[in-house]
Amino acid sequence: MTSLAAATDQVDYETLANRFRPIFARIAEGASAREQDHRLPFAEIKELTQAGFGALRVPVSDGGSGASLPQLFRLLTELAAADSNIPQALRGHFAFVEDRLVSTGAQRAVWLERFVKGEIAGNSWTKVGTVKIGDVITKVSPDPESTTGGFRINGTKYYRQHLRRLD
């Protein structure tokens, strides 16, 4: 299964959403306090991933929920109503999941299994410009100058900052 259409297994949205709504409600209860106290939602994201939220798009046949893209976006909208910071924090993960869903080869299955086990990807996997699926420009390798077995990363990470005047 490598096409986007084949990535879903036609699950019922309400059944899927009802699985996560109690978690969304708990997240909403503490969202304001987290925002005021500048606390990151580590525990909330952990609870979501343990419940399978990070594997929403993984096909049922691969152990995921088999959600379609519209279903994913509806769930992210519900989650954003509880705490808008969390879908923002997970955006890189879901982009990476989509990248893995259309990939081929052994690594596809490895990554889908990792998502099903509750692992999530961070936001630093993207590259600027046109990069073909499977191309890896940024690499992590053993640091030959390290005396402690450290690693070195080569590549460039780009950030885009949006500024807005608040008056």
Side-chain angles (χ1 to χ4, degrees), residues 59-89:
V60 171
S61 58
D62 290 307
S65 296
S68 67
L69 277 172
Q71 290 172 330
L72 171 65
F73 295 137
R74 286 178 66 188
L75 283 167
L76 289 172
T77 300
E78 286 193 43
L79 175 57
D83 184 336
S84 62
N85 292 311
I86 296 176
Q88 174 69 13

Side-chain angles (χ1 to χ4, degrees), residues 93-111:
H93 169 77
F94 286 112
F96 189 69
V97 169
E98 291 306 309
D99 184 65
R100 296 299 85 199
L101 286 172
V102 298
S103 66
T104 58
Q107 285 299 306
R108 180 184 189 274
V110 168
W111 278 104

Side-chain angles (χ1 to χ4, degrees), residues 161-165:
Q161 186 174 24
H162 297 280
L163 300 175
R164 187 172 91 179
R165 197 177 158 130

Side-chain angles (χ1 to χ4, degrees), residues 13-14 30 36 48 51 60 79 83 105 109 115 131 134 136 163:
Y13 179 77
E14 286 302 316
Q36 289 174 353
L48 284 167
V60 171
L79 175 57
D83 184 336
F115 301 144
V131 179
V136 178
L163 300 175

Side-chain angles (χ1 to χ4, degrees), residues 88 91-92 122-129 138 153 155-163:
Q88 174 69 13
R91 78 189 189 289
N123 289 328
S124 63
W125 69 276
T126 57
K127 306 206 184 280
V128 170
T138 302
I153 187 168
T156 305
K157 175 67 179 165
Y158 295 87
Y159 294 90
R160 185 172 186 181
Q161 186 174 24
H162 297 280
L163 300 175

Side-chain angles (χ1 to χ4, degrees), residues 1-9 59 61 108:
M1 276 189 210
T2 57
S3 74
L4 289 179
T8 64
D9 295 308
S61 58
R108 180 184 189 274

